[in-house]
Short mmCIF file of all heavy atoms in Angstrom, two decimals:
data_model
loop_
_atom_site.label_atom_id
_atom_site.label_comp_id
_atom_site.label_asym_id
_atom_site.label_seq_id
_atom_site.Cartn_x
_atom_site.Cartn_y
_atom_site.Cartn_z
N LYS Z 286 1.14 -56.92 50.99
CA LYS Z 286 0.04 -57.65 50.36
C LYS Z 286 -1.11 -56.69 50.09
O LYS Z 286 -1.64 -56.07 51.01
CB LYS Z 286 -0.44 -58.78 51.26
CG LYS Z 286 0.57 -59.87 51.45
CD LYS Z 286 0.00 -60.95 52.34
CE LYS Z 286 1.04 -62.02 52.60
NZ LYS Z 286 0.56 -63.02 53.55
N GLU Z 287 -1.51 -56.62 48.80
CA GLU Z 287 -2.63 -55.74 48.45
C GLU Z 287 -3.93 -56.31 49.03
O GLU Z 287 -4.18 -57.50 48.97
CB GLU Z 287 -2.75 -55.61 46.93
CG GLU Z 287 -3.78 -54.59 46.52
CD GLU Z 287 -3.81 -54.33 45.02
OE1 GLU Z 287 -2.80 -54.58 44.33
OE2 GLU Z 287 -4.86 -53.88 44.55
N LEU Z 288 -4.73 -55.41 49.59
CA LEU Z 288 -6.00 -55.81 50.21
C LEU Z 288 -7.11 -55.78 49.18
O LEU Z 288 -7.13 -54.92 48.30
CB LEU Z 288 -6.32 -54.86 51.36
CG LEU Z 288 -5.26 -54.77 52.46
CD1 LEU Z 288 -5.62 -53.67 53.46
CD2 LEU Z 288 -5.11 -56.11 53.17
N SER Z 289 -8.06 -56.68 49.30
CA SER Z 289 -9.19 -56.71 48.35
C SER Z 289 -10.30 -55.79 48.86
O SER Z 289 -11.40 -56.22 49.18
CB SER Z 289 -9.70 -58.14 48.15
OG SER Z 289 -10.11 -58.67 49.39
N LEU Z 290 -9.96 -54.52 48.93
CA LEU Z 290 -10.89 -53.48 49.34
C LEU Z 290 -11.03 -52.49 48.21
O LEU Z 290 -10.06 -52.15 47.53
CB LEU Z 290 -10.37 -52.76 50.58
CG LEU Z 290 -10.19 -53.59 51.84
CD1 LEU Z 290 -9.45 -52.78 52.90
CD2 LEU Z 290 -11.53 -54.07 52.37
N GLN Z 291 -12.22 -52.01 48.00
CA GLN Z 291 -12.46 -50.97 47.01
C GLN Z 291 -12.46 -49.62 47.73
O GLN Z 291 -13.17 -49.44 48.72
CB GLN Z 291 -13.82 -51.23 46.35
CG GLN Z 291 -14.13 -50.29 45.24
CD GLN Z 291 -15.51 -50.55 44.66
OE1 GLN Z 291 -15.99 -49.71 43.95
NE2 GLN Z 291 -16.16 -51.66 44.95
N ILE Z 292 -11.63 -48.70 47.24
CA ILE Z 292 -11.54 -47.37 47.84
C ILE Z 292 -11.91 -46.35 46.77
O ILE Z 292 -11.36 -46.36 45.67
CB ILE Z 292 -10.10 -47.08 48.34
CG1 ILE Z 292 -9.66 -48.15 49.34
CG2 ILE Z 292 -10.03 -45.69 48.95
CD1 ILE Z 292 -8.18 -48.07 49.71
N ARG Z 293 -12.84 -45.48 47.10
CA ARG Z 293 -13.25 -44.40 46.19
C ARG Z 293 -13.14 -43.09 46.93
O ARG Z 293 -13.27 -43.03 48.16
CB ARG Z 293 -14.68 -44.61 45.69
CG ARG Z 293 -14.87 -45.84 44.86
CD ARG Z 293 -14.09 -45.73 43.54
NE ARG Z 293 -14.25 -46.91 42.73
CZ ARG Z 293 -13.34 -47.88 42.63
NH1 ARG Z 293 -12.24 -47.82 43.35
NH2 ARG Z 293 -13.53 -48.91 41.85
N ASN Z 294 -12.94 -42.01 46.18
CA ASN Z 294 -12.79 -40.70 46.82
C ASN Z 294 -13.28 -39.59 45.92
O ASN Z 294 -13.40 -39.76 44.71
CB ASN Z 294 -11.32 -40.47 47.21
CG ASN Z 294 -10.43 -40.37 45.99
OD1 ASN Z 294 -10.26 -39.31 45.42
ND2 ASN Z 294 -9.85 -41.50 45.57
N ALA Z 295 -13.58 -38.47 46.54
CA ALA Z 295 -13.96 -37.25 45.82
C ALA Z 295 -13.49 -36.08 46.67
O ALA Z 295 -13.46 -36.15 47.90
CB ALA Z 295 -15.47 -37.19 45.62
N SER Z 296 -13.12 -35.00 45.99
CA SER Z 296 -12.66 -33.81 46.70
C SER Z 296 -13.30 -32.57 46.11
O SER Z 296 -13.65 -32.53 44.93
CB SER Z 296 -11.13 -33.68 46.60
OG SER Z 296 -10.50 -34.72 47.29
N PHE Z 297 -13.42 -31.57 46.96
CA PHE Z 297 -13.91 -30.26 46.53
C PHE Z 297 -13.28 -29.22 47.43
O PHE Z 297 -13.44 -29.28 48.65
CB PHE Z 297 -15.44 -30.19 46.62
CG PHE Z 297 -16.01 -28.90 46.10
CD1 PHE Z 297 -16.08 -28.66 44.75
CD2 PHE Z 297 -16.44 -27.92 46.98
CE1 PHE Z 297 -16.60 -27.48 44.25
CE2 PHE Z 297 -16.96 -26.73 46.50
CZ PHE Z 297 -17.04 -26.51 45.13
N ARG Z 298 -12.54 -28.32 46.82
CA ARG Z 298 -11.81 -27.30 47.57
C ARG Z 298 -10.96 -27.96 48.65
O ARG Z 298 -10.12 -28.79 48.34
CB ARG Z 298 -12.75 -26.23 48.08
CG ARG Z 298 -13.43 -25.47 46.93
CD ARG Z 298 -14.27 -24.33 47.39
NE ARG Z 298 -14.91 -23.70 46.24
CZ ARG Z 298 -16.08 -23.13 46.28
NH1 ARG Z 298 -16.76 -23.08 47.41
NH2 ARG Z 298 -16.59 -22.58 45.20
N ALA Z 299 -11.15 -27.63 49.92
CA ALA Z 299 -10.29 -28.15 51.00
C ALA Z 299 -10.87 -29.39 51.67
O ALA Z 299 -10.40 -29.81 52.72
CB ALA Z 299 -10.05 -27.07 52.03
N ALA Z 300 -11.88 -30.01 51.06
CA ALA Z 300 -12.53 -31.18 51.68
C ALA Z 300 -12.40 -32.40 50.78
O ALA Z 300 -12.40 -32.29 49.55
CB ALA Z 300 -13.99 -30.89 51.94
N THR Z 301 -12.31 -33.56 51.42
CA THR Z 301 -12.23 -34.83 50.72
C THR Z 301 -13.11 -35.84 51.44
O THR Z 301 -13.19 -35.82 52.66
CB THR Z 301 -10.77 -35.34 50.69
OG1 THR Z 301 -9.97 -34.40 49.96
CG2 THR Z 301 -10.66 -36.70 50.04
N VAL Z 302 -13.74 -36.70 50.67
CA VAL Z 302 -14.53 -37.79 51.23
C VAL Z 302 -14.00 -39.09 50.61
O VAL Z 302 -13.70 -39.14 49.42
CB VAL Z 302 -16.04 -37.59 50.98
CG1 VAL Z 302 -16.38 -37.56 49.52
CG2 VAL Z 302 -16.86 -38.62 51.72
N VAL Z 303 -13.84 -40.11 51.47
CA VAL Z 303 -13.33 -41.40 51.02
C VAL Z 303 -14.28 -42.49 51.48
O VAL Z 303 -14.75 -42.48 52.62
CB VAL Z 303 -11.90 -41.66 51.59
CG1 VAL Z 303 -11.43 -43.05 51.22
CG2 VAL Z 303 -10.92 -40.61 51.08
N ALA Z 304 -14.57 -43.43 50.57
CA ALA Z 304 -15.43 -44.58 50.88
C ALA Z 304 -14.63 -45.86 50.71
O ALA Z 304 -13.74 -45.94 49.85
CB ALA Z 304 -16.64 -44.60 49.96
N LEU Z 305 -14.99 -46.85 51.52
CA LEU Z 305 -14.29 -48.12 51.52
C LEU Z 305 -15.32 -49.25 51.62
O LEU Z 305 -16.27 -49.15 52.40
CB LEU Z 305 -13.37 -48.17 52.74
CG LEU Z 305 -12.66 -49.48 53.05
CD1 LEU Z 305 -11.50 -49.68 52.10
CD2 LEU Z 305 -12.17 -49.44 54.49
N THR Z 306 -15.14 -50.30 50.81
CA THR Z 306 -16.01 -51.47 50.93
C THR Z 306 -15.24 -52.73 50.54
O THR Z 306 -14.32 -52.67 49.71
CB THR Z 306 -17.28 -51.35 50.07
OG1 THR Z 306 -18.16 -52.43 50.38
CG2 THR Z 306 -16.98 -51.35 48.59
N ASP Z 307 -15.64 -53.85 51.14
CA ASP Z 307 -15.12 -55.14 50.73
C ASP Z 307 -16.24 -55.96 50.08
O ASP Z 307 -16.08 -57.13 49.79
CB ASP Z 307 -14.52 -55.90 51.91
CG ASP Z 307 -15.52 -56.14 53.04
OD1 ASP Z 307 -16.68 -55.72 52.92
OD2 ASP Z 307 -15.12 -56.76 54.04
N ARG Z 308 -17.37 -55.32 49.83
CA ARG Z 308 -18.53 -55.98 49.20
C ARG Z 308 -18.44 -55.83 47.68
O ARG Z 308 -17.75 -54.95 47.16
CB ARG Z 308 -19.82 -55.33 49.69
CG ARG Z 308 -19.99 -55.32 51.20
CD ARG Z 308 -20.75 -56.52 51.69
NE ARG Z 308 -20.83 -56.58 53.13
CZ ARG Z 308 -21.86 -56.20 53.86
NH1 ARG Z 308 -22.92 -55.67 53.28
NH2 ARG Z 308 -21.84 -56.33 55.17
N PRO Z 309 -19.20 -56.64 46.93
CA PRO Z 309 -19.18 -56.55 45.46
C PRO Z 309 -20.06 -55.40 44.96
O PRO Z 309 -21.03 -55.60 44.23
CB PRO Z 309 -19.72 -57.91 45.02
CG PRO Z 309 -20.64 -58.30 46.13
CD PRO Z 309 -20.02 -57.76 47.39
N TYR Z 310 -19.73 -54.20 45.39
CA TYR Z 310 -20.46 -53.00 44.99
C TYR Z 310 -19.60 -52.17 44.05
O TYR Z 310 -18.38 -52.25 44.05
CB TYR Z 310 -20.75 -52.10 46.21
CG TYR Z 310 -21.72 -52.65 47.22
CD1 TYR Z 310 -21.51 -52.38 48.58
CD2 TYR Z 310 -22.83 -53.38 46.87
CE1 TYR Z 310 -22.39 -52.84 49.54
CE2 TYR Z 310 -23.70 -53.86 47.83
CZ TYR Z 310 -23.48 -53.58 49.17
OH TYR Z 310 -24.34 -54.04 50.11
N THR Z 311 -20.28 -51.34 43.30
CA THR Z 311 -19.62 -50.24 42.64
C THR Z 311 -20.11 -48.99 43.36
O THR Z 311 -21.30 -48.87 43.68
CB THR Z 311 -19.91 -50.22 41.12
OG1 THR Z 311 -19.21 -49.13 40.53
CG2 THR Z 311 -21.38 -50.12 40.81
N ILE Z 312 -19.18 -48.09 43.66
CA ILE Z 312 -19.48 -46.94 44.51
C ILE Z 312 -19.11 -45.65 43.79
O ILE Z 312 -18.09 -45.57 43.11
CB ILE Z 312 -18.67 -47.02 45.82
CG1 ILE Z 312 -19.11 -48.21 46.63
CG2 ILE Z 312 -18.79 -45.75 46.63
CD1 ILE Z 312 -18.27 -48.42 47.87
N GLY Z 313 -19.94 -44.63 43.99
CA GLY Z 313 -19.63 -43.30 43.49
C GLY Z 313 -19.87 -42.28 44.59
O GLY Z 313 -20.78 -42.43 45.40
N LEU Z 314 -19.03 -41.26 44.62
CA LEU Z 314 -19.13 -40.19 45.61
C LEU Z 314 -19.11 -38.84 44.92
O LEU Z 314 -18.49 -38.68 43.87
CB LEU Z 314 -17.93 -40.23 46.56
CG LEU Z 314 -17.80 -41.37 47.54
CD1 LEU Z 314 -16.40 -41.37 48.14
CD2 LEU Z 314 -18.84 -41.24 48.64
N ASP Z 315 -19.74 -37.88 45.55
CA ASP Z 315 -19.59 -36.49 45.14
C ASP Z 315 -19.64 -35.62 46.38
O ASP Z 315 -20.33 -35.95 47.36
CB ASP Z 315 -20.66 -36.05 44.15
CG ASP Z 315 -20.29 -34.72 43.49
OD1 ASP Z 315 -19.26 -34.69 42.78
OD2 ASP Z 315 -20.99 -33.73 43.71
N ILE Z 316 -18.91 -34.52 46.34
CA ILE Z 316 -18.88 -33.57 47.45
C ILE Z 316 -18.86 -32.16 46.89
O ILE Z 316 -18.17 -31.88 45.91
CB ILE Z 316 -17.68 -33.82 48.38
CG1 ILE Z 316 -17.69 -32.85 49.57
CG2 ILE Z 316 -16.37 -33.77 47.62
CD1 ILE Z 316 -16.68 -33.16 50.64
N ARG Z 317 -19.63 -31.28 47.49
CA ARG Z 317 -19.69 -29.86 47.14
C ARG Z 317 -19.93 -29.08 48.41
O ARG Z 317 -20.27 -29.64 49.44
CB ARG Z 317 -20.87 -29.56 46.19
CG ARG Z 317 -20.97 -30.39 44.96
CD ARG Z 317 -19.92 -30.03 43.95
NE ARG Z 317 -19.74 -31.15 43.02
CZ ARG Z 317 -19.24 -31.02 41.84
NH1 ARG Z 317 -18.86 -29.85 41.41
NH2 ARG Z 317 -19.08 -32.07 41.07
N ASP Z 318 -19.82 -27.76 48.31
CA ASP Z 318 -20.29 -26.93 49.42
C ASP Z 318 -21.54 -26.20 48.93
O ASP Z 318 -21.99 -26.40 47.81
CB ASP Z 318 -19.21 -26.00 49.97
CG ASP Z 318 -18.76 -24.93 48.98
OD1 ASP Z 318 -19.49 -24.63 48.00
OD2 ASP Z 318 -17.67 -24.38 49.19
N LEU Z 319 -22.11 -25.38 49.79
CA LEU Z 319 -23.38 -24.72 49.45
C LEU Z 319 -23.20 -23.40 48.70
O LEU Z 319 -24.16 -22.67 48.52
CB LEU Z 319 -24.19 -24.49 50.73
CG LEU Z 319 -24.60 -25.77 51.45
CD1 LEU Z 319 -25.26 -25.44 52.78
CD2 LEU Z 319 -25.53 -26.61 50.58
N HIS Z 320 -21.97 -23.12 48.26
CA HIS Z 320 -21.69 -21.84 47.62
C HIS Z 320 -20.97 -22.04 46.28
O HIS Z 320 -19.80 -21.71 46.14
CB HIS Z 320 -20.84 -20.97 48.54
CG HIS Z 320 -21.42 -20.84 49.91
ND1 HIS Z 320 -22.53 -20.08 50.17
CD2 HIS Z 320 -21.07 -21.41 51.08
CE1 HIS Z 320 -22.83 -20.17 51.45
NE2 HIS Z 320 -21.97 -20.97 52.03
N PRO Z 321 -21.67 -22.59 45.27
CA PRO Z 321 -21.02 -22.78 43.97
C PRO Z 321 -20.75 -21.44 43.28
O PRO Z 321 -21.49 -20.47 43.47
CB PRO Z 321 -22.05 -23.60 43.18
CG PRO Z 321 -23.36 -23.29 43.82
CD PRO Z 321 -23.06 -23.01 45.27
N ASP Z 322 -19.69 -21.42 42.49
CA ASP Z 322 -19.40 -20.21 41.73
C ASP Z 322 -20.33 -20.15 40.51
O ASP Z 322 -21.06 -21.09 40.21
CB ASP Z 322 -17.92 -20.16 41.31
CG ASP Z 322 -17.49 -21.35 40.47
OD1 ASP Z 322 -18.34 -21.97 39.79
OD2 ASP Z 322 -16.28 -21.66 40.48
N ASP Z 323 -20.31 -19.02 39.82
CA ASP Z 323 -21.23 -18.81 38.70
C ASP Z 323 -21.06 -19.84 37.58
O ASP Z 323 -22.04 -20.30 36.99
CB ASP Z 323 -21.06 -17.39 38.13
CG ASP Z 323 -21.58 -16.32 39.07
OD1 ASP Z 323 -22.38 -16.66 39.98
OD2 ASP Z 323 -21.19 -15.15 38.93
N ALA Z 324 -19.81 -20.21 37.29
CA ALA Z 324 -19.57 -21.19 36.22
C ALA Z 324 -20.18 -22.55 36.58
O ALA Z 324 -20.77 -23.22 35.73
CB ALA Z 324 -18.07 -21.33 35.96
N THR Z 325 -20.05 -22.95 37.84
CA THR Z 325 -20.62 -24.23 38.28
C THR Z 325 -22.14 -24.19 38.25
O THR Z 325 -22.79 -25.15 37.81
CB THR Z 325 -20.11 -24.58 39.69
OG1 THR Z 325 -18.68 -24.60 39.68
CG2 THR Z 325 -20.64 -25.93 40.14
N ILE Z 326 -22.71 -23.07 38.69
CA ILE Z 326 -24.17 -22.92 38.64
C ILE Z 326 -24.66 -23.04 37.20
O ILE Z 326 -25.62 -23.76 36.91
CB ILE Z 326 -24.62 -21.58 39.25
CG1 ILE Z 326 -24.40 -21.59 40.76
CG2 ILE Z 326 -26.09 -21.29 38.93
CD1 ILE Z 326 -24.61 -20.25 41.43
N HIS Z 327 -23.97 -22.36 36.28
CA HIS Z 327 -24.36 -22.42 34.87
C HIS Z 327 -24.28 -23.86 34.34
O HIS Z 327 -25.18 -24.32 33.64
CB HIS Z 327 -23.48 -21.49 34.04
CG HIS Z 327 -23.80 -21.53 32.58
ND1 HIS Z 327 -24.98 -21.03 32.06
CD2 HIS Z 327 -23.12 -22.05 31.53
CE1 HIS Z 327 -25.00 -21.24 30.76
NE2 HIS Z 327 -23.88 -21.86 30.42
N GLU Z 328 -23.21 -24.59 34.69
CA GLU Z 328 -23.07 -25.98 34.24
C GLU Z 328 -24.18 -26.85 34.81
O GLU Z 328 -24.78 -27.65 34.09
CB GLU Z 328 -21.71 -26.54 34.66
CG GLU Z 328 -21.50 -27.96 34.18
CD GLU Z 328 -20.18 -28.56 34.61
OE1 GLU Z 328 -19.52 -28.00 35.52
OE2 GLU Z 328 -19.83 -29.61 34.06
#
Side-chain angles (χ1 to χ4, degrees):
K286 294 181 183 175
E287 187 174 337
L288 303 173
S289 59
L290 298 171
Q291 185 182 165
I292 303 170
R293 296 294 179 259
N294 65 86
S296 294
F297 184 75
R298 297 185 182 148
T301 297
V302 62
V303 175
L305 172 76
T306 188
D307 59 0
R308 304 268 175 99
Y310 293 144
T311 181
I312 295 175
L314 291 167
D315 193 63
I316 182 171
R317 308 287 159 158
D318 66 19
L319 297 174
H320 308 287
D322 59 25
D323 290 341
T325 303
I326 290 171
H327 178 69
E328 181 182 15

